[in-house]
Structures are given as structure tokens and as C-alpha cells.
Amino acid sequence: MIFGGCLCGTVRYQTAASPLAAGLCWCRVCQYIAAGNATANICFPVGGLEITGTMTDYISTADSGNVMHRRFCPVCGTHLFTASEARPALLFARAGTLDDPEIMKPAATIWTASAPAWACIDKSIPKFDHQPPPIP
């Protein structure tokens, strides 16, 4: 089982599913969310994911053109999830919300064209200037 939640504990989640993908994102929206850095994200199938607690949903259109739902705790402000209307069966959790962040092993870095010149981008994993092809 994989467990996670927000800083104050208002929102908690769990899943028995294995992660489908994990990576770092340097899009401008993620830079806002991560206080100037990339976000670290891990993808799970929505089926089997149990979430308790109420979240706030911020809806916006990403640089990719996808309508995104960014969900966070209304009490402590922790960003927990991102979901794309283009891929409703997937949910991306922020790696910092995992009870055991060691399970997050980035396989790629995306939106590197938006990264500032000082960004530390791991050269040992694939990188994409923009949005990579969707995962199945």
C-alpha cells in the first residue's frame, strides 16, 4: 500500500496500485506551485485510489492545451494532485505528499524549455522540451 497526505493531515490518500510513471516538470505553472523549482510528480491510476478529506480544485489550461485540475488542501495549502481532463483515468500526486518519498524515482524531466538557466536538470534521465507523448 502507498500512503500520503497534506501537511496538516486534513487530506489523506492511499492506493494499492503501483505507480505508472514519475517525473519532474518545469512548466511555468509547476514553477509557481514549487516556489520556483520543478514539481516532482508520481502517476497513479484513479481506480483504487482512496482519498479522504476535502480539497480545493483550481482549474486552468496548461501550456499543453489540456484543461487541468490542481487540487490542494484548503487548510494548509499543500498541493496534492494534478489531473488532466484529457486523461481522466490518471492522477498525478506531488511526491512531497507521499509518506515514503523514496518510492518516487523520476524517469524523465519535462517542459525543460521553460526552466530557468540555473535549473538543475538531471542529465541521466530523458528530458523533453515540452509535453511528452501521453502514457497509455
Side-chain angles (χ1 to χ4, degrees):
M1 263 326 235
I2 297 171
F3 298 93
C6 66
L7 178 63
C8 72
T10 296
V11 179
R12 295 287 303 158
Y13 64 89
Q14 66 181 41
T15 185
S18 296
L20 301 172
L24 305 169
C25 181
W26 278 100
C27 78
R28 282 298 294 141
V29 173
C30 282
Q31 290 178 53
Y32 278 100
I33 292 168
N37 213 327
T39 56
N41 307 290
I42 189 163
C43 180
F44 294 104
V46 171
L49 186 68
E50 295 177 37
I51 303 170
T52 59
T54 302
M55 291 178 286
T56 298
D57 186 7
Y58 177 73
I59 302 169
S60 64
T61 302
D63 290 339
S64 64
N66 292 328
V67 176
M68 306 299 292
H69 293 262
R70 299 175 199 287
R71 298 181 177 120
F72 58 95
C73 175
V75 178
C76 67
T78 300
H79 283 262
L80 289 123
F81 305 110
T82 295
S84 170
E85 288 185 6
R87 295 176 271 169
L90 305 176
L91 191 66
F92 291 82
R94 301 285 180 247
T97 67
L98 295 164
D99 287 357
D100 179 9
E102 291 297 323
I103 68 168
M104 164 63 180
K105 292 176 178 46
T109 303
I110 65 173
W111 288 96
T112 57
S114 300
W118 51 260
C120 296
I121 297 175
D122 188 342
K123 292 178 182 12
S124 70
I125 60 176
K127 66 177 187 169
F128 298 87
D129 286 344
H130 300 287
Q131 187 71 22
I135 58 176

